[in-house]
Every structure is written in C-alpha cells, then in structure tokens.
Amino acid sequence: MKAWVAAGPQTGHLRLAPYLRRIADRDLLKIDNAESAAVRPHLLTVTDINQQTFHGAVPLPQKEITQLVTLGVQAFLRSYAPTTPKRTSSGTP
C-alpha cells in the first residue's frame, strides 16, 4: 500500500509540476508556483466527483463525470490563463 500511495495519488502533483513549469515557460499558462498549481487539477476534478459519489459508494453516470471533469479543467485553464495571448511565429495570437 505504501508503494502505491508513493507512486500514485500522493505524488501525482509532483510529477505534473515539471510539465506545468515547461508550459508556463512557453507563456501558455501564467504559473508562478508550479508545485502549487499542480495540486489544482485534482482539487477541481476528482474531489468534486468523490464528494458527489461519497468516494465511489454511489454511482454517477459517465455523462456527469465527464461534465465535472470538463468543468474542472476549464476552471484550471481560466485560473492560469496568461493575461495576453501567446503570439505565434506569424505574429497572430
């Protein structure tokens, strides 16, 4: 169990943080603290589903799960959206 926890749910944000940092370095997201930002996707998706299903005890239709995850991802992206759009090599946003 300890190995599973160490490799999975307790450390997922640690594995996500470097990716978020690279995305922020490309000015695609505005992230000052990648480690802190990496916790947010879980909070905005899985936590909501766990609360609504009483941690899996009550089934939730796939359509509702998809909607909750989509809303969570959209909230994350809005929260970390850069203030000005990234310009492409052609100069357009």
Side-chain angles (χ1 to χ4, degrees), residues 3-85:
W4 174 77
V5 169
Q10 298 300 317
T11 62
H13 65 287
L14 298 175
R15 291 188 305 279
L16 179 58
Y19 293 101
L20 291 178
R21 173 54 39 221
R22 287 196 292 271
I23 290 169
D25 288 346
R26 293 175 54 206
D27 295 328
L28 298 172
L29 292 175
K30 172 124 176 60
I31 296 174
D32 296 323
N33 183 326
E35 290 75 21
S36 177
V39 175
R40 302 299 176 261
H42 184 282
L43 294 174
L44 294 167
T45 57
V46 176
T47 300
D48 201 14
I49 293 167
N50 282 342
Q51 288 177 340
Q52 291 195 32
T53 64
F54 296 94
H55 295 273
V58 176
L60 195 62
Q62 184 61 46
K63 184 176 179 179
E64 288 183 46
I65 292 170
T66 300
Q67 182 180 20
L68 289 171
V69 170
T70 300
L71 290 172
V73 170
Q74 289 172 343
F76 176 84
L77 292 174
R78 278 192 304 272
S79 295
Y80 292 101
T83 53
T84 56

Side-chain angles (χ1 to χ4, degrees), residues 85-93:
K86 172 88 171 129
R87 299 232 174 242
T88 63
S89 58
S90 66
T92 59

